Amino acid sequence: MTRQGILAFLGGVSLMVAAAAPALAAEPELIATHGAWSAYVYTDEAKNKVCYMASEPQKDEGDYKSRGQIYALVTNRPAESTKNVFSYIAGYPYKPGSDATIKIGAETFTLFTQEDTAWAPDAATDEKIAGAMRKGSSMVVKGVSARGTHTTDTFTLDGSGAAHDAITKECSSQ
């Protein structure tokens, strides 16, 4: 999927969430594209700025017949005092109670899962993942679907540092 496809997909998700709220969130705006990573900004339903960077895997592996869209994201929400929140959309519902793992260089991180998304367990792990992404060259995410299918997704981290700088700069101006 193209970067415009990522924007449209994530914009659609934002709009679906916002449709349930009294005020409508603005559609994400592309800040910049660096390598395989794109940086976006939007205003949420509470009129707060949200910045995120996103990428798709260069390689996705697993014995599955079909799978939805796959994204790795890092999000900053200054109004909530959160930054570097790592999330992973797997393109399938995870096996209930299972974990996903990320490997960047020699570092491995465990993510908790719910439905089709995985997150770091705490802000300290988010910070470690963001730091490893800036230093690393590739990231491998492994998970298990609700049907028991094991998947391995490989991302290039080319451009992740510059995309991270872009979202940090954009969301520090709130």
Side-chain angles (χ1 to χ4, degrees):
M1 173 175 276
T2 65
R3 287 174 194 4
Q4 291 81 15
I6 294 172
L7 176 64
F9 172 76
L10 294 174
V13 170
S14 295
L15 291 174
M16 287 186 309
V17 170
L24 191 62
E27 188 165 324
E29 175 186 332
L30 179 66
I31 301 168
T33 297
H34 299 282
W37 291 82
S38 294
Y40 300 91
V41 62
Y42 72 95
T43 304
D44 69 11
E45 55 278 353
K47 305 289 184 209
N48 296 311
K49 190 182 278 191
V50 177
C51 299
Y52 65 93
M53 56 188 259
S55 187
E56 294 178 284
Q58 275 49 64
K59 186 165 135 182
D60 55 290
E61 301 171 274
D63 187 21
Y64 48 85
K65 291 183 180 157
S66 67
R67 186 172 177 190
Q69 296 172 313
I70 309 161
Y71 298 103
L73 301 103
V74 175
T75 305
N76 292 349
R77 294 177 177 268
E80 296 176 12
S81 298
T82 62
K83 65 178 185 171
N84 298 328
V85 176
F86 183 86
S87 59
Y88 191 74
I89 300 170
Y92 59 75
Y94 282 104
K95 179 179 178 180
S98 70
D99 291 329
T101 60
I102 302 175
K103 184 166 177 57
I104 303 171
E107 296 184 80
T108 300
F109 305 95
T110 300
L111 308 176
F112 73 91
T113 65
Q114 182 177 2
E115 298 176 11
D116 70 343
T117 307
W119 296 272
D122 52 46
T125 305
D126 281 327
E127 289 295 326
K128 288 177 185 173
I129 292 170
M133 288 175 70
R134 291 183 74 84
K135 294 183 285 185
S137 61
S138 68
M139 173 173 74
V140 177
V141 182
K142 294 185 178 189
V144 180
S145 76
R147 295 181 181 195
T149 303
H150 291 260
T151 60
T152 301
D153 303 323
T154 304
F155 291 77
T156 179
L157 294 175
D158 176 45
S160 64
H164 188 264
D165 291 344
I167 67 170
T168 300
K169 179 180 179 185
E170 182 67 32
C171 267
S172 66
S173 63
Q174 179 160 342

